[in-house]
Amino acid sequence: MKEISEEKLNDFLKFATNVNYFTKLKPKLKDDDILKTNLPITCYNELMQTIFSLVRTSINTLQHENSQTAIDAMLLLEIVLKLLPNDEMELLDELYKVL
């Protein structure tokens, strides 16, 4: 494995702390303008497994498509879009550059 220079690691840590990452899973906040559904997830691994399950279910549903199940699959895929940890994926790209 390639050794990581301390300078690269420090640059990454500065980058990670200055940008607002880890936004999908956060403490419950009160906001009167937004209605939220609480979906308890314990870690990012569980979040990704949940997303994979929703996508697999949607694919299976669309393979046996009829008008009602296609709408159900569309609703599941909309949930997936809301759950995807986009900011965190950008941070992983930056971490990969360091490694």
Side-chain angles (χ1 to χ4, degrees):
M1 186 171 138
K2 176 169 89 169
E3 242 185 81
I4 302 169
S5 75
E6 191 172 327
E7 182 181 342
K8 277 185 169 182
L9 187 55
N10 285 333
D11 288 345
F12 171 74
L13 291 174
K14 281 182 193 175
F15 175 81
T17 55
N18 288 331
V19 180
N20 189 22
Y21 289 109
F22 300 107
T23 57
K24 276 303 169 197
L25 302 179
K26 55 187 170 186
K28 188 175 179 181
L29 301 174
K30 291 185 179 181
D31 190 312
D32 294 332
D33 296 330
I34 297 174
L35 298 173
K36 289 187 175 187
T37 300
N38 188 9
L39 179 64
I41 302 277
T42 58
C43 62
Y44 280 93
N45 187 44
E46 182 183 352
L47 174 62
M48 291 309 296
Q49 292 304 316
T50 301
I51 291 169
F52 289 144
S53 294
L54 288 168
V55 170
R56 280 192 300 265
T57 301
S58 298
I59 290 169
N60 189 39
T61 300
L62 290 171
Q63 286 174 340
H64 305 91
E65 181 181 344
N66 67 42
S67 61
Q68 181 57 43
T69 58
I71 292 169
D72 293 340
M74 181 185 69
L75 291 172
L76 288 176
L77 291 171
E78 286 175 359
I79 292 169
V80 166
L81 282 175
K82 292 175 185 172
L83 290 174
L84 283 171
N86 299 326
D87 294 336
E88 291 80 352
M89 294 299 104
E90 185 180 338
L91 182 62
L92 285 176
D93 284 341
E94 292 299 319
L95 177 59
Y96 181 75
K97 290 176 190 176
V98 171
L99 300 175

